[in-house]
Amino acid sequence: MERVLIDRLSGDFPTAEPPFPYLVGCFRRAVEENRKIASMKDPTLRSEIESAIRQAKKLVVSYCRIHLGNPDMFSAGKSAVPEFLDMIFSDVASTMDGSNSLGSGVSSPPGFVDEFFREGDLESLEPVMNELYEKLRASVERVSALGNFHQPMRALQLLVSYPNCAKALVSHSNWIPKETFFFMGDGRVIELRSILGAFFHVSALPDYKDFRSIPDVGQQCFLESSTRRPADLLSSFTTIRTVMNILYDNLAEVIFTLLKNVDTRVKVLNYIAAVIMKNSARSRIQVDPLSCASTGMFVNLSAVMLRLCEPFLDATASKRDKIDANYLFLSDRLDFRQLTAIHASSEDMSAWVENLKKLDQQKDLNLKWAMQTNDATTSGNHNENCASSRKKEMKSITGKDKYPFICECFFMTARVLNLGLMKALSDFKNIIQELARFEEDLSTFNAMRSQGPTPQLENDIRRLEKAVEMLSQEKFCYEAQILRDGELLQRALSYYRLVIIWLVSLVGGFNMPLPLECPMEFACLPEHFIEDAMDMLICTSRIPRALDGFLLDDFLNFIIMFMASPSYLKNPYLRAKMVEVLNCWLPQRSGTSATASLFDGNQLSLDYLVRNLLKLYVDIEFTGSHTQFFDKFTIRHNIAELLEYLWNVASHRNAWRKIAKEEEKGVYLNFLNFLINDSIYLLDESLNKILELKEIEAEMSNSIEWERRPAQEREERMRQFHSRENIVRFDMKLANEDVGMLAFTSEQIPSPFLLPEMVERVASMLNYFLLQLVGPQRKSLSVKDPEKYEFRPKQLLKQIVEIYVHIARGDKGNVFPAAVSKDGRSYNAQLFTAAADILWKIGGDANIIKEFIELGNKAKAAASEAMDAEAAPGEIPDEFLDPIQYTLMKDPVILPSSKISIDRAVIQRHLLSDNTDPFNRSHLTQDMLIPNVELKARIEDFIRRQGLRK
């Protein structure tokens, strides 16, 4: 048979079938002959014929391998691999492939493909597989989620199920491509040129124009989405989610198959590591699409890595002990050392890692020595077997495989998610913000069109409409593949739950307070481990039902432990992000009462949540960033909303009272000071901006003058108007929150407001607010739609008066009226009368109004007494005057650095906001103040002699 076969394949037969279809035909005829003899009665004859058929089939398949691997041998150099791939495509075809089905439609004979791959050795298969895998890669190149990637994917799954084919895949020259392109970076090359990269590129997400896939998902599914029926959009979302999950499952199956094979496992891990390392630049704010792989590839890889993690994402995190933090610093496969650490400086981290390496090397040497010693004490065949076993063990302990798969998979997933899924969510957020800006500009331009169109204006409108359409399509593509995929988000949440449980295990578990010193093992970990977990919580908390059934207690405990711990998390913005998570869980925002039990029934929450929120409110004043002044308002807004909710929970309100009593001279006083600072600034800014809005409104209302202005000037003024509207709305909202917090806390905790270093500041703030709300300028603050800007002057006035009254009720020493009257900038006795009159008209609380009037009378009397004291004879010596306020000192203290004496209340008020000596900027804290006993005695003697009141 073999001689006949060789003659047929080598002969010159112009009209005969080419070698490959001929060989396949031979196999098909052999199968058919085998079927014919199935009913033969003579078993001996049937057995002989079956043996001959088996031999023929084996021979045919063997020569088929030779022919495909060496096309020059029988067919003048023409490769038949494309025909073989078409036949495989036909074998794996399905009805879901539709009209785009690949392949010739002619399936292989039963058993042919299996015998071709299963019986072949790696040497004979490798030449065939090299070309086959390259053709397979090309078949999915630039194919989107709506294209036919299914047949190539099934073909790949089929191929890697054969061990030698799997080996051939990881040995392929394009497993990890080494070729370079002058216009493409390594990250993009590994996506476009590696065999698996082409499959990972299949996506619904938009890509850079030069690498865009077809069919275009945005164009096909979301064109002119604003006019589409909701049912059509929902159908598109469902289709894309379904298709992408098929891809994820198939890719995961391919990777699982390769990982289970001991001959391919290491190279698979090397491939994933190479994808990560070559695309590390994806973590930057701006990503170069020519240098880095697409977002689509990394979202797909994220979904696959989460599937690989699934076996150890159990509810009890039972496998966390297999996660070794040393992998981050000692692994040869990935480099985590260039990433921003949670707390350690780069210098401290380098020194610690070097020491860790030395200890690790010594450990390996000790282990090697121990094994060699054991080898020397054993003998015989048993000795040889043990030595061989120990060599393998030694290699696994000291080489790349010294860490278990769970450990490698855990840390690789962290990096993939950071560069993939989390980066995609960040991109989606940017798309939403950019789309909102364009839509606002388009709305402004359309408003201007009604006042007289111009060619330039029409061009601008067309440009904006095109941009809005493009961004809308991109937004829906992201939403379809990521935000609508509840399973993907839940898997990510489960993974990050394991991350935070593991992180906490490094500092002793879920216990408070934290150890005084942050362990270096924790301090050197990448910051993005925590940041990504928080971003995932924020994202899922804003998607309806995304958190349904998911237990959040571990996340809550983690946040409470670390949000007010700068000695563990040095980045204040990361700690602020934790507050943003909690803010999303407020029942009124989450849309479910299930999150209420998080705050009400969690013991760490009851013991530490209010305390840590107050502490963070103070700490966030100094973030170290050049934008800290503006950032703090957004962060404090989130804290204020949380605190307001907690105040209405009895257990948390009791904790708040306890903290205020224990920390009256500490963090609570700092909290009140910054709360007052913010209130003054925000209300002042809001009122000034309202005046600017009124000015622009007046300009626009004069239509004749307004239309005479150039279009560019009108556009600029409209932009200013919208910008100021947004600022007023934001500042006014924050000011309302701050004043509201002062109102409800002063009612039950008035004593801190009456401390010497605080009382005059509080009085000045209230007087200033009263002047703005009922003084001569109040009518200038009227705007067309005050609610639009969250400007509620009646409510504000009621709250300001309530604060006055609450503090007066707690004023056992009768110091508040004098502090109110001492304010020379805003105090006016007539304001109290005017405010009371307005309150009667708008229906204020009668008891509050009466007490407010009584306070006004007391302040008026205190002002009269102060004037009498100023008229008393005798000048006050300069040395008795406070150098900042120029008032008579009551309790002078010496500043240790500048040696200047200053009144204690004055310097304490300064230190609430700034821990420096006001005269030379050197560091200063309250415990460093030195009482000036001698000066105090002389002042008291002066007061007695002059008959002045203290």
Side-chain angles (χ1 to χ4, degrees):
M1 276 194 293
E2 186 167 10
R3 289 179 58 187
V4 171
L5 191 60
I6 291 172
D7 286 348
R8 166 64 179 80
L9 293 172
S10 304
D12 184 13
F13 307 111
T15 60
E17 277 186 307
F20 179 71
Y22 166 71
L23 289 167
V24 173
C26 288
F27 195 96
R28 194 184 304 278
R29 289 188 289 276
V31 170
E32 182 62 24
E33 290 300 320
N34 204 52
R35 187 185 62 78
K36 288 177 182 177
I37 64 169
S39 58
M40 188 175 284
K41 293 181 180 180
D42 186 341
T44 305
L45 180 59
R46 187 173 70 243
S47 177
E48 288 182 20
I49 296 175
E50 284 175 345
S51 177
I53 289 173
R54 277 197 302 273
Q55 187 180 353
K57 286 164 69 176
K58 187 173 182 180
L59 198 63
V60 165
V61 170
S62 177
Y63 271 89
C64 200
R65 283 193 215 98
I66 293 170
H67 167 58
L68 290 174
N70 304 275
D72 290 339
M73 186 173 289
F74 298 123
S75 59
K78 183 182 178 183
S79 172
V81 168
E83 296 172 63
F84 187 31
L85 181 58
D86 277 352
M87 194 166 68
I88 293 173
F89 282 155
S90 298
D91 285 354
V92 298
S94 164
T95 53
M96 70 179 295
D97 301 329
S99 59
N100 295 324
S101 183
L102 302 174
S104 60
V106 179
S107 299
S108 64
F112 175 80
V113 170
D114 186 66
E115 191 163 337
F116 184 95
F117 292 121
R118 194 175 300 284
E119 301 301 323
D121 57 35
L122 182 61
E123 186 178 356
S124 65
L125 280 175
E126 199 161 33
V128 181
M129 299 312 300
N130 283 344
E131 185 177 354
L132 193 60
Y133 280 130
E134 187 56 37
K135 296 293 183 187
L136 190 60
R137 182 199 66 78
S139 70
V140 289
E141 195 171 35
R142 309 291 175 83
V143 173
S144 76
L146 298 181
N148 182 10
F149 64 84
H150 304 279
Q151 278 175 281
M153 191 75 247
R154 289 187 223 111
L156 181 64
Q157 289 175 284
L158 171 70
L159 295 176
V160 298
S161 68
Y162 297 103
N164 282 332
C165 294
K167 288 184 206 174
L169 174 60
V170 300
S171 301
H172 197 285
S173 59
N174 276 339
W175 174 247
I176 300 177
K178 295 180 175 60
E179 57 190 327
T180 58
F181 297 85
F182 75 94
F183 61 92
M184 276 197 300
D186 290 345
R188 184 60 83 161
V189 169
I190 200 169
E191 176 181 27
L192 296 182
R193 298 296 299 156
S194 73
I195 308 301
L196 288 185
F199 288 91
F200 276 107
H201 180 75
V202 176
S203 176
L205 301 181
D207 196 4
Y208 185 64
K209 60 182 180 180
D210 291 351
F211 310 112
R212 199 162 290 161
S213 300
I214 54 173
D216 189 299
V217 176
Q219 288 284 317
Q220 287 220 0
C221 295
F222 305 116
L223 184 66
E224 297 180 351
S225 55
S226 60
T227 62
R228 301 277 297 280
R229 293 187 310 151
D232 292 340
L233 290 176
L234 187 60
S235 174
S236 295
F237 288 144
T238 303
T239 299
I240 291 168
R241 185 178 69 248
T242 303
V243 164
M244 292 311 303
N245 272 279
I246 291 171
L247 175 67
Y248 300 154
D249 289 339
N250 292 344
L251 282 170
E253 184 182 326
V254 168
I255 300 295
F256 264 126
T257 302
L258 295 172
L259 286 170
K260 284 188 287 187
N261 186 334
V262 293
D263 296 318
T264 58
R265 180 185 303 137
V266 171
K267 288 191 175 181
V268 173
L269 294 174
N270 288 345
Y271 174 79
I272 297 171
V275 172
I276 293 169
M277 296 305 295
K278 292 175 185 292
N279 285 283
S280 58
R282 277 189 55 82
S283 61
R284 297 173 185 166
I285 296 174
Q286 295 292 331
V287 179
D288 180 4
L290 294 176
S291 298
C292 297
S294 67
T295 298
M297 175 183 188
F298 264 88
V299 170
N300 294 346
L301 185 55
S302 297
V304 169
M305 293 304 295
L306 288 171
R307 281 162 168 75
L308 297 184
C309 291
E310 208 153 14
F312 56 88
L313 296 181
D314 55 291
T316 60
S318 57
K319 301 292 195 298
R320 66 175 178 270
D321 291 341
K322 294 186 178 295
I323 302 168
D324 186 350
N326 287 348
Y327 177 89
L328 293 165
F329 315 110
L330 303 177
S331 168
D332 295 330
R333 220 182 302 272
L334 288 177
D335 184 7
F336 287 81
R337 287 165 291 180
Q338 302 305 313
L339 302 175
T340 302
I342 289 175
H343 194 271
S345 66
S346 55
E347 294 79 10
D348 291 343
M349 183 175 170
S350 296
W352 184 75
V353 170
E354 284 305 311
N355 185 56
L356 196 64
K357 284 182 178 178
K358 290 176 184 176
L359 292 173
D360 191 61
Q361 289 168 358
Q362 187 60 49
K363 180 181 174 183
D364 289 346
L365 288 172
N366 292 342
L367 184 60
K368 187 175 182 181
W369 178 83
M371 288 182 172
Q372 289 171 345
T373 303
N374 287 337
D375 287 345
T377 58
T378 53
S379 58
N381 291 334
H382 178 67
N383 177 27
E384 290 179 13
N385 293 336
C386 287
S388 174
S389 174
R390 287 195 190 96
K391 282 179 183 176
K392 290 180 180 178
E393 185 181 346
M394 186 66 208
K395 183 180 178 183
S396 69
I397 291 173
T398 59
K400 278 188 177 180
D401 301 329
K402 67 189 291 184
Y403 300 101
F405 173 73
I406 288 175
C407 182
E408 294 225 44
C409 186
F410 175 81
F411 289 115
M412 283 186 172
T413 302
R415 289 299 292 138
V416 169
L417 289 176
N418 177 251
L419 302 173
L421 181 59
M422 303 315 300
K423 179 63 177 172
L425 291 175
S426 175
D427 291 344
F428 177 73
K429 182 180 177 181
N430 293 334
I431 288 171
I432 294 294
Q433 291 173 345
E434 192 173 6
L435 179 59
R437 285 196 298 270
F438 280 142
E439 286 177 335
E440 186 175 339
D441 287 347
L442 184 59
S443 175
T444 302
F445 281 26
N446 280 326
M448 292 172 61
R449 176 193 265 170
S450 64
Q451 298 169 9
T454 64
Q456 180 60 48
L457 183 62
E458 293 301 317
N459 287 336
D460 288 340
I461 289 174
R462 281 193 294 272
R463 173 180 56 81
L464 285 170
E465 287 174 340
K466 186 177 179 181
V468 166
E469 172 63 25
M470 183 192 72
L471 286 170
S472 296
Q473 289 181 21
E474 290 186 7
K475 183 194 81 167
F476 283 123
C477 287
Y478 274 85
E479 188 176 337
Q481 184 167 340
I482 302 174
L483 279 83
R484 295 268 179 168
D485 191 342
E487 288 185 15
L488 173 64
L489 298 177
Q490 287 262 334
R491 281 189 171 101
L493 280 172
S494 296
Y495 171 79
Y496 284 119
R497 178 177 172 271
L498 176 60
V499 170
I500 63 105
I501 290 174
W502 175 74
L503 285 169
V504 169
S505 72
L506 300 179
V507 297
F510 287 105
N511 300 307
M512 286 288 278
L514 287 165
L516 291 176
E517 188 172 340
C518 177
M520 280 299 289
E521 191 177 38
F522 181 90
C524 294
L525 296 175
E527 186 179 84
H528 78 72
F529 281 24
I530 299 175
E531 185 170 18
D532 290 348
M534 295 304 109
D535 282 334
M536 177 53 63
L537 287 170
I538 291 169
C539 170
T540 49
S541 297
R542 290 171 176 166
I543 299 173
R545 309 190 69 80
L547 293 177
D548 282 6
F550 198 89
L551 296 176
L552 299 169
D553 294 76
D554 290 324
F555 286 116
L556 176 64
N557 290 335
F558 180 85
I559 289 170
I560 292 170
M561 287 175 67
F562 293 102
M563 72 176 176
S565 302
S567 59
Y568 277 77
L569 301 187
K570 66 181 178 183
N571 185 346
Y573 293 101
L574 180 53
R575 287 182 279 124
K577 192 164 283 189
M578 294 178 170
V579 177
E580 191 175 348
V581 174
L582 298 182
N583 200 267
C584 291
W585 291 347
L586 288 173
Q588 66 266 31
R589 184 162 284 114
S590 67
T592 171
S593 58
T595 54
S597 61
L598 278 173
F599 301 107
D600 304 351
N602 181 291
Q603 194 57 48
L604 270 184
S605 172
L606 294 172
D607 292 342
Y608 289 97
L609 183 52
V610 171
R611 182 184 301 274
N612 288 350
L613 286 171
L614 295 174
K615 189 173 184 301
L616 184 59
Y617 193 100
V618 172
D619 289 345
I620 214 68
E621 179 76 14
F622 310 104
T623 64
S625 167
H626 66 284
T627 60
Q628 68 180 14
F629 180 77
F630 300 101
D631 296 339
K632 69 180 181 182
F633 293 117
T634 303
I635 297 165
R636 283 177 176 165
H637 162 61
N638 290 330
I639 297 175
E641 287 195 323
L642 273 166
L643 287 172
E644 184 176 355
Y645 171 79
L646 296 173
W647 181 264
N648 293 310
V649 179
S651 52
H652 286 291
R653 186 164 62 248
N654 292 334
W656 193 323
R657 286 200 198 96
K658 184 180 177 184
I659 294 161
K661 186 175 181 180
E662 293 172 351
E663 299 280 353
E664 187 176 73
K665 290 278 190 174
V667 69
Y668 196 73
L669 196 60
N670 287 103
F671 161 71
L672 285 182
N673 178 64
F674 288 128
L675 183 60
I676 290 168
N677 286 350
D678 291 355
S679 301
I680 294 171
Y681 173 80
L682 291 167
L683 193 61
D684 201 33
E685 280 290 295
S686 302
L687 299 181
N688 286 333
K689 288 288 188 301
I690 284 175
L691 294 176
E692 292 179 24
L693 285 175
K694 288 194 67 177
E695 182 184 334
I696 302 177
E697 277 183 347
E699 292 176 11
M700 291 190 291
S701 63
N702 188 343
S703 56
I704 298 174
E705 289 296 325
W706 177 254
E707 291 174 11
R708 285 177 182 170
R709 295 188 179 193
Q712 188 173 354
E713 184 183 339
R714 282 184 287 165
E715 180 186 335
E716 182 60 33
R717 289 297 276 170
M718 289 285 283
R719 284 183 188 276
Q720 287 179 359
F721 185 74
H722 290 309
S723 172
R724 279 159 177 73
E725 277 191 319
N726 292 333
I727 293 171
V728 168
R729 195 178 297 114
F730 180 76
D731 286 354
M732 205 71 237
K733 184 175 183 179
L734 267 61
N736 289 335
E737 286 172 353
D738 289 352
V739 172
M741 203 181 318
L742 288 168
F744 64 70
T745 55
S746 62
E747 182 177 17
Q748 297 192 29
I749 315 174
S751 55
F753 294 92
L754 293 160
L755 291 169
E757 56 266 46
M758 186 61 77
V759 66
E760 291 182 11
R761 178 142 179 73
V762 173
S764 297
M765 174 197 73
L766 296 173
N767 291 343
Y768 174 71
F769 286 172
L770 201 63
L771 175 64
Q772 298 299 319
L773 294 171
V774 303
Q777 300 296 319
R778 73 176 187 275
K779 290 185 179 179
S780 63
L781 297 175
S782 60
V783 286
K784 289 180 181 177
D785 185 6
E787 193 62 36
K788 177 182 179 182
Y789 308 118
E790 307 217 16
F791 179 44
R792 307 178 187 104
K794 293 177 183 178
Q795 177 186 313
L796 263 177
L797 179 59
K798 287 181 179 179
Q799 288 178 320
I800 295 300
V801 170
E802 284 172 4
I803 298 169
Y804 271 116
V805 171
H806 293 160
I807 296 173
R809 286 173 180 172
D811 183 17
K812 308 305 181 188
N814 202 33
V815 297
F816 190 46
V820 170
S821 64
K822 194 182 286 186
D823 172 24
R825 186 181 70 156
S826 304
Y827 171 71
N828 186 327
Q830 294 176 352
L831 294 176
F832 281 76
T833 305
D837 290 342
I838 293 172
L839 286 173
W840 287 120
K841 289 177 184 176
I842 63 176
D845 184 295
N847 291 328
I848 292 285
I849 299 172
K850 289 174 184 176
E851 291 181 62
F852 178 65
I853 293 171
E854 184 182 345
L855 173 63
N857 293 334
K858 287 182 179 180
K860 190 173 181 179
S864 178
E865 288 182 17
M867 289 179 65
D868 292 343
E870 284 182 17
E875 290 188 5
I876 301 174
D878 288 346
E879 64 174 323
F880 296 169
L881 293 173
D882 177 84
I884 293 179
Q885 297 282 2
Y886 291 100
T887 54
L888 181 64
M889 290 189 283
K890 296 177 182 178
D891 185 9
V893 292
I894 302 170
L895 307 185
S897 175
S898 62
K899 307 300 182 186
I900 291 174
S901 290
I902 188 170
D903 203 12
R904 184 186 293 274
V906 173
I907 190 61
Q908 283 180 334
R909 193 178 307 135
H910 166 80
L911 291 176
L912 289 174
S913 303
D914 188 352
N915 284 329
T916 61
D917 185 321
F919 300 101
N920 61 13
R921 310 304 297 165
S922 61
H923 180 65
L924 180 65
T925 57
Q926 290 198 32
D927 58 325
M928 297 166 66
L929 302 176
I930 306 165
N932 194 334
V933 179
E934 185 270 334
L935 180 58
K936 183 177 181 180
R938 288 197 289 128
I939 291 173
E940 289 176 347
D941 181 60
F942 171 78
I943 291 172
R944 281 193 299 273
R945 285 188 287 107
Q946 294 294 326
L948 297 174
R949 292 180 180 273
K950 287 190 180 181

